[in-house]
Amino acid sequence: MSRVCELTGKKAMVGNNVSHALNRTKRKFDANLIKKRFYIPEEDKWVTLKISTSALKNINKLGISAVLKKAVDNGFYKK
């Protein structure tokens, strides 16, 4: 499975390593992802998601149901 947040769509970015001599080589900035289980009381089931830590902060603030609804509306999460 690719390293993409299932709720926000965040994924790896590409950039450069820059040395003191200003030599540039390609590198990858991976998203800060974690695997976490959540209980959804409306559906009475547990769901395991691979999410970014910023998405986890949104879940703590807004609740899992609201964040899942927004992710489905944006097309990132499929039921």
Side-chain angles (χ1 to χ4, degrees):
M1 188 172 193
S2 62
R3 295 194 45 88
V4 177
C5 177
E6 295 179 2
L7 297 182
T8 61
K10 286 187 174 190
K11 55 186 175 182
M13 295 172 35
V14 178
N16 288 313
N17 279 329
V18 182
S19 70
H20 288 289
L22 298 182
N23 297 328
R24 287 170 166 81
T25 55
K26 286 291 189 183
R27 65 160 292 181
K28 200 160 104 173
F29 294 93
D30 285 326
N32 189 8
L33 299 180
I34 58 171
K35 199 171 185 181
K36 183 103 172 97
R37 284 179 71 216
F38 295 100
Y39 179 72
I40 303 171
E42 290 83 16
E43 300 176 14
D44 193 35
K45 67 177 184 179
W46 288 90
V47 176
T48 301
L49 298 172
K50 188 186 286 188
I51 60 171
S52 62
T53 53
S54 62
L56 181 62
K57 288 176 74 173
N58 283 336
I59 290 170
N60 289 337
K61 183 177 180 182
L62 304 173
I64 184 66
S65 301
V67 175
L68 273 177
K69 183 179 180 307
K70 187 175 179 183
V72 169
D73 292 343
N74 291 338
F76 292 123
Y77 183 71
K78 313 286 191 277
K79 286 187 178 179

